[in-house]
Amino acid sequence: MQMTVLLTIISTLLLPFVTIAQVPEVARSKAFTDSEYSSSRLLLMSNRNTLYFQFTYRKGISVTVYDSLRNAAPVVNNDVRSWKNRDLSEANLKGVFEMNGQAVVFLEMTVRREVNLYRFIFDGHTGGLLSEDLVESRKIPAVVLLPARNVIPRYYVRKDPASAFYAVAVYKDKKVAGDELIRVTHYTPAHQIISRATYTATGAPFSRVEFLDMYVEGGRFVTLASHLYKEGSFVRKGAAVMLSALRQEQHDSFQHALLDSTEDYWDAAAAMKYNQHTGQMYLLTSVHGNSVREKAIMRQHIFAYDYALQMTVFDPVSLQLRRQYFVDHPQLDAYVKHRLRYRNAYRGLIQDFYINDDNGVSLLFEEIYVDDKTSGPLTAIDSLTAITSLQKGYRTRLGQIGIVRLDADGREVSSYAIAKSQHVNTKIGMYYQYRRPYMDVSLRDRKPYHYGDIAGFYSYEYLPAKGVVIYNDRAANVANQEHDYRKIKDVYAMNETNTMLAVFDGEEVRRQYLFGEPANQREARFSELGVSAFRDDDMQYATVMVERKGRDHKAYIVWVQL
């Protein structure tokens, strides 16, 4: 009897270690050569096909279909009819989704002084282009004064994660020539309009409006979060966060509610998600530290301002506030001091969040420090979009990962950190992981020595269903069991890294090579996390893995069964 109890206790204690010791099943496609200048995305279909999209200069949108046995059909090259293929580098990707068994790609493109949103529908079995439609179009004013973003419209597309209903929002920060500031259109999976509403003026004391986020819940409603403010000489004054609802029964008008607690908020950004079990909406808002009295927990640069983080839970139909709290993470601060040998508190920026089964949340943080570069291209990835420019360059250091779990009332339950240090030649800001599916196409040179310019290889991936973290790191850091952040080797060359799988067992982080330990320094296997896809119903994760042996580089689609 005593032996049985002892074995039970030992089994319970070793359970986290058994979980991490079980190497996930990994399948890989046949090797292929990456297009020299391209950008790509993966889509896991409900019919168990995998579609690999490549946006290219010469061949337009190339699609490779892999069946459930990982066999590839011949590549289908689809020319873009609305503009020249080589201009794809100027397009902004607004989403890649499955709808009605078809793959749907939304692209924003400026054509002859018109900002247009296009919808491309692809066959889910062959990858062939079925239709290319103009969804929305807005003219650019004849005279545009800086900053141009104030009057040039921008499109945002959001799809219900649980269905194929979706919505399109058109935003302009500033009202010009009688145009509406906001217009939202709610669509069925068959691309038919359910409802459409416009918002033409913010009213006193507000003169400007910024898009924060939008959520679609089937055919029932669309919930919108906006930041309203009056811009003064030096700072934004009279600001507030506004919640808006577009309901099916009120198909041509918004219902609005101002959050009184957000008075004078400025430099706000947000992400919004829906709790299917409680029917409540979660709005996570970062706000400039100087505009609130609460503790600021995030910092983007040693000389930059700090940011606070607030969670707002509300009813998405009535817009009534349920609860609200500012985020603090003393357990994470204690963890980094004890495990990673920090002297100060953790100051990472928010990247994403997930709602847990207990109605609490898991918050994903990452240390981000941005430095100017004297020359080179820039892809500025802020909390909303990505804009490519050749005028100025930046380098971003992506440091330690922080994972914080809060209960339903906002109290910290557990936290941990993972030491890493990556350097990428782009400017990356808050909510990067959350916004990553909506980033620009960015046709970058994909030669191995240019991987440092491709943001998709950097940062990390968190899969909430299993609580695992996936990222690329140097083998020397894996061998270092001390986790001292001062002893972490910096990642400058991505082709010297391997993809890691990390799990927190309640006491410390357990790491292993996702694609096998490299035989020597001439071998490496690393992933482009920015193109990855995950399917909840069968716990399937897919990404693009690059294998290096000496100077030879080959790319593969890999499927990981978690």
Side-chain angles (χ1 to χ4, degrees):
M1 179 65 179
Q2 292 178 344
M3 181 63 68
T4 303
V5 173
L6 180 61
L7 288 174
T8 302
I9 295 174
I10 293 175
S11 300
T12 303
L13 292 174
L14 290 179
L15 183 59
F17 300 91
V18 173
T19 302
I20 189 64
Q22 293 173 345
V23 180
E25 180 184 342
V26 177
R28 65 165 71 179
S29 69
K30 291 183 179 179
F32 60 90
T33 302
D34 245 346
S35 299
E36 272 189 24
Y37 289 88
S38 67
S39 182
S40 54
R41 292 292 189 276
L42 280 167
L43 182 63
L44 295 174
M45 303 287 288
S46 57
N47 63 7
R48 296 312 186 248
N49 285 350
T50 301
L51 272 60
Y52 180 50
F53 290 89
Q54 288 181 292
F55 304 90
T56 69
Y57 274 122
R58 298 178 181 177
K59 300 177 181 178
I61 305 176
S62 300
V63 184
T64 306
V65 178
Y66 294 87
D67 64 20
S68 59
L69 299 178
R70 319 308 185 204
N71 297 316
V75 179
V76 178
N77 298 315
N78 302 284
D79 288 324
V80 177
R81 296 192 295 269
S82 301
W83 66 84
K84 296 179 181 179
N85 289 338
R86 67 170 179 263
D87 294 332
L88 265 172
S89 60
E90 300 176 14
N92 287 323
L93 182 66
K94 297 300 177 179
V96 179
F97 310 108
E98 179 183 356
M99 298 179 183
N100 287 335
Q102 300 167 329
V104 183
V105 176
F106 291 93
L107 290 174
E108 178 188 294
M109 183 68 176
T110 301
V111 180
R112 293 186 291 274
R113 298 195 63 81
E114 290 185 348
V115 182
N116 299 331
L117 179 68
Y118 296 91
R119 180 178 56 224
F120 298 81
I121 300 178
F122 298 85
D123 189 294
H125 296 278
T126 67
L129 181 61
L130 299 176
S131 64
E132 176 182 333
D133 302 314
L134 178 63
V135 180
E136 296 273 4
S137 181
R138 291 291 186 279
K139 290 185 178 297
I140 299 176
V143 178
V144 177
L145 302 177
L146 295 178
R149 68 178 181 85
N150 293 345
V151 296
I152 295 178
R154 288 168 290 172
Y155 298 104
Y156 303 94
V157 180
R158 296 291 186 268
K159 187 186 87 66
D160 177 12
S163 71
F165 289 87
Y166 66 100
V168 175
V170 187
Y171 258 70
K172 285 197 300 187
D173 288 356
K174 189 174 182 179
K175 192 173 186 294
V176 175
D179 290 341
E180 67 266 13
L181 289 172
I182 306 171
R183 186 169 89 169
V184 175
T185 307
H186 191 188
Y187 289 92
T188 69
H191 315 294
Q192 301 299 313
I193 295 176
I194 299 173
S195 55
R196 172 177 286 167
T198 60
Y199 185 54
T200 57
T202 55
F206 309 117
S207 60
R208 300 283 295 279
V209 58
E210 285 184 342
F211 176 89
L212 291 180
D213 203 9
M214 179 171 65
Y215 193 93
V216 181
E217 211 294 309
R220 295 175 56 217
F221 60 81
V222 179
T223 303
L224 197 67
S226 307
H227 183 218
L228 308 181
Y229 61 94
K230 178 182 179 181
E231 196 162 44
S233 301
F234 300 101
V235 297
R236 298 174 180 180
K237 301 177 181 179
V241 172
M242 182 177 72
L243 306 177
S244 305
L246 176 60
R247 299 197 300 269
Q248 185 176 14
E249 60 270 20
Q250 263 180 316
H251 63 276
D252 60 352
S253 62
F254 288 112
Q255 176 186 352
H256 300 295
L258 284 175
L259 291 177
D260 296 334
S261 59
T262 62
E263 182 180 359
D264 292 334
Y265 277 20
W266 53 289
D267 202 5
M272 188 160 53
K273 297 187 179 183
Y274 181 63
N275 189 332
Q276 297 283 350
H277 300 294
T278 64
Q280 295 180 343
M281 197 71 71
Y282 289 58
L283 177 68
L284 185 65
T285 307
S286 59
V287 59
H288 198 294
N290 286 357
S291 62
V292 295
R293 296 181 179 179
E294 301 295 330
K295 178 181 177 182
I297 61 171
M298 303 184 294
R299 178 177 295 172
Q300 184 156 349
H301 193 280
I302 190 171
F303 300 112
Y305 295 108
D306 294 343
Y307 291 85
L309 192 62
Q310 184 182 52
M311 179 65 79
T312 301
V313 182
F314 64 97
D315 186 288
V317 178
S318 67
L319 303 182
Q320 291 183 351
L321 184 66
R322 298 306 184 197
R323 59 186 179 277
Q324 196 173 45
Y325 57 84
F326 279 89
V327 174
D328 195 9
H329 45 55
Q331 291 187 39
L332 178 60
D333 295 339
Y335 186 97
V336 296
K337 290 178 181 179
H338 175 64
R339 296 285 184 176
L340 274 60
R341 306 296 189 264
Y342 271 42
R343 293 182 178 179
N344 301 310
Y346 182 85
R347 292 284 187 167
L349 299 183
I350 188 66
Q351 291 283 40
D352 201 351
F353 79 98
Y354 291 94
I355 301 173
N356 300 323
D357 291 339
D358 62 357
N359 302 323
V361 294
S362 292
L363 304 175
L364 314 186
F365 294 92
E366 188 170 21
E367 291 183 346
I368 298 178
Y369 300 100
V370 181
D371 294 316
D372 290 352
K373 289 174 59 181
T374 56
S375 63
L378 160 67
T379 299
I381 303 175
D382 61 16
S383 61
L384 289 180
T385 187
I387 303 172
T388 302
S389 170
L390 296 176
Q391 297 178 355
K392 191 175 182 181
Y394 292 88
R395 170 168 289 167
T396 301
R397 176 186 176 270
L398 299 169
Q400 277 61 252
I401 298 167
I403 310 294
V404 175
R405 187 182 179 99
L406 306 179
D407 65 15
D409 295 319
R411 294 185 295 263
E412 188 179 18
V413 176
S414 65
S415 296
Y416 66 95
I418 300 175
K420 73 173 181 65
S421 180
Q422 303 169 332
H423 298 262
V424 57
N425 296 326
T426 61
K427 183 180 179 181
I428 293 177
M430 283 186 281
Y431 299 103
Y432 165 63
Q433 289 187 30
Y434 179 71
R435 308 294 182 190
R436 192 154 53 183
Y438 316 111
M439 295 302 181
D440 69 339
V441 174
S442 185
L443 305 188
R444 290 304 188 94
D445 189 342
R446 300 183 65 80
K447 293 186 178 70
Y449 47 83
H450 283 145
Y451 286 152
D453 297 333
I454 303 175
F457 286 102
Y458 296 83
S459 192
Y460 67 98
E461 196 92 70
Y462 179 80
L463 304 180
K466 292 291 185 178
V468 302
V469 174
I470 299 174
Y471 65 105
N472 296 314
D473 204 358
R474 295 176 60 174
N477 293 331
V478 181
N480 177 15
Q481 296 299 320
E482 296 184 34
H483 303 286
D484 189 332
Y485 84 98
R486 295 165 297 184
K487 298 181 180 180
I488 293 297
K489 302 294 182 183
D490 292 281
V491 173
Y492 291 101
M494 184 52 59
N495 61 358
E496 294 179 355
T497 70
N498 288 271
T499 301
M500 304 305 304
L501 177 71
V503 173
F504 181 59
D505 65 11
E507 293 293 333
E508 59 182 298
V509 175
R510 301 287 175 174
R511 298 172 295 179
Q512 67 183 38
Y513 291 97
L514 182 57
F515 305 126
E517 185 174 354
N520 49 56
Q521 293 184 354
R522 293 175 53 81
E523 184 176 288
R525 302 178 191 91
F526 52 97
S527 303
E528 188 174 2
L529 305 176
V531 310
S532 304
F534 182 72
R535 189 168 52 214
D536 289 313
D537 60 355
D538 61 351
M539 298 297 166
Q540 190 84 193
Y541 175 75
T543 188
V544 174
M545 184 264 286
V546 179
E547 184 175 56
R548 174 181 65 84
K549 292 187 177 180
R551 295 184 177 180
D552 183 44
H553 293 73
K554 293 181 179 179
Y556 302 83
I557 307 297
V558 291
W559 295 266
V560 181
Q561 187 63 56
L562 295 169

